[in-house]
Amino acid sequence: MDVSYDGTDFSGWARQPGRRTVQAELEAALQRQPPGASVPKSVVVAGRTDAGVHATGQVVHVDVVPLEPGAPGRVPVDAQGIPDLTRMTGRWNKLMPADVRVLRARVAPAGFDARFSAIRRHYRYRVSDAPWGVDPLRRNDTLAWGRPLSTDAMNEAAADLLGLQDFAAYCKQREGGTTIRELQQLEWTRLDEHLLEVRVSADAFCHSMVRSLVGVLLMVGDGRRPRSWPAEVLASGTRDSAVAPPHGLTLTAVDYPPDAELAARAEQTRNVRSAEDL
């Protein structure tokens, strides 16, 4: 399933007791309208987003038991017992609040895993450097910076961060996890007089990595830090406190290899990287 959501009123993607989350809303809709013969227990997501972070291209998968051809039930199926996913998408969206939507659904090819089969994730972060703040209609997905920003300075600093690196200085570390990632794109553009956007792509991201990269580069962009500073932070291995707020961040797309390579990619991703890979 391809999923879009406004993260403003969610405590992130992952289900949490007593909290409103995207996962909980989606799973509740699937339980009320199962896509197969059994009620799915949970969904697997391409990338967990933090509280306040949005998505236009999130990807999830769910394992289901197919309905038998001709079996009675609420789900229309074809001759192979595959449900009419177009109609079911409409039903799920009627069961969910307006700030989360399933855009489309399809039967996944063999070996597909929304998380481990992915080869690349894409994010954008939007910032307004207008002296008066941010356009009121964009306040939920754009950061008001309030200082003039130089895209040239930020792009020059960003170039030193590209490639396969240990991003421990830009990640909130988790026990047993790796901070080695391949950063493939980190590029700022000015969309209009006061609106800027950075496009960020990597094979994967560790916790808070994009927001940390943005926060450090913004301080270069407004002249408070030299262009060499982001690379110095990276080399230090020590996490800096310059982390941009979540609401400017949106997950826009997830890339996957050809169908025949999905299972192999999932197996490769499960092998945790170490310093020897650098």
Side-chain angles (χ1 to χ4, degrees):
M1 289 176 280
D2 296 331
V3 180
S4 177
Y5 48 87
D6 177 345
T8 304
D9 296 325
F10 286 109
S11 295
W13 162 267
R15 188 191 322 105
Q16 302 171 59
R19 301 269 186 163
R20 184 174 186 262
T21 67
V22 183
Q23 182 180 9
E25 294 287 357
L26 180 56
E27 289 179 352
L30 290 169
Q31 288 165 5
R32 292 179 63 186
Q33 178 59 81
S38 61
V39 176
K41 294 182 179 180
S42 64
V43 300
V44 176
V45 69
R48 292 186 176 188
T49 50
D50 293 335
V53 176
H54 318 290
T56 59
Q58 182 67 275
V59 180
V60 303
H61 86 255
V62 58
D63 295 321
V64 300
V65 178
L67 290 166
E68 292 294 330
R74 298 173 294 165
V75 182
V77 298
D78 63 17
Q80 285 73 46
I82 298 174
D84 182 340
L85 293 175
T86 299
R87 289 181 62 184
M88 295 196 68
T89 296
R91 294 181 183 183
W92 293 326
N93 286 329
K94 289 180 180 178
L95 295 170
M96 290 190 294
D99 50 1
V100 55
R101 282 290 175 267
V102 177
L103 305 180
R104 62 191 63 84
R106 55 199 174 278
V107 176
F112 179 83
D113 185 291
R115 177 185 176 188
F116 290 110
S117 294
I119 57 174
R120 191 175 300 107
R121 287 128 172 120
H122 305 274
Y123 284 87
R124 71 164 183 246
Y125 196 102
R126 287 185 172 171
V127 182
S128 169
D129 64 354
W132 37 260
V134 65
D135 184 327
L137 296 180
R138 296 253 58 95
R139 68 189 185 280
N140 289 334
D141 70 353
T142 303
L143 173 67
W145 193 246
R147 295 170 177 260
L149 291 165
S150 167
T151 57
D152 289 341
M154 292 189 291
N155 282 330
E156 183 178 321
D160 294 331
L161 304 176
L162 296 174
L164 187 65
Q165 314 252 27
D166 187 342
F167 286 93
Y170 289 93
C171 296
K172 185 176 181 180
Q173 297 192 36
R174 290 173 171 167
E175 186 177 354
T178 178
T179 53
I180 297 173
R181 298 291 189 270
E182 183 183 5
L183 186 60
Q184 300 165 354
Q185 181 185 27
L186 184 60
E187 183 176 5
W188 289 87
T189 56
R190 187 171 288 276
L191 303 180
D192 64 25
E193 182 181 5
H194 294 299
L195 181 63
L196 299 88
E197 176 180 276
V198 60
R199 292 278 178 167
V200 191
S201 301
D203 57 349
F205 292 93
C206 42
H207 192 197
S208 295
M209 178 175 165
V210 179
R211 292 167 52 204
S212 297
L213 290 167
V214 171
V216 166
L217 290 173
L218 286 173
M219 295 184 71
V220 172
D222 67 17
R224 285 184 287 172
R225 294 284 188 171
R227 299 185 185 191
S228 60
W229 184 55
E232 293 168 0
V233 171
L234 180 71
S236 75
T238 302
R239 189 166 186 250
D240 192 87
S241 59
V243 181
H247 69 279
L249 184 60
T250 300
L251 172 63
T252 58
V254 183
D255 295 342
Y256 294 92
D259 291 356
E261 302 173 15
L262 289 167
R265 172 61 185 178
E267 183 64 25
Q268 177 187 6
T269 305
R270 288 186 174 94
N271 294 324
V272 177
R273 284 173 171 160
S274 66
E276 297 177 357
D277 297 312
L278 294 175

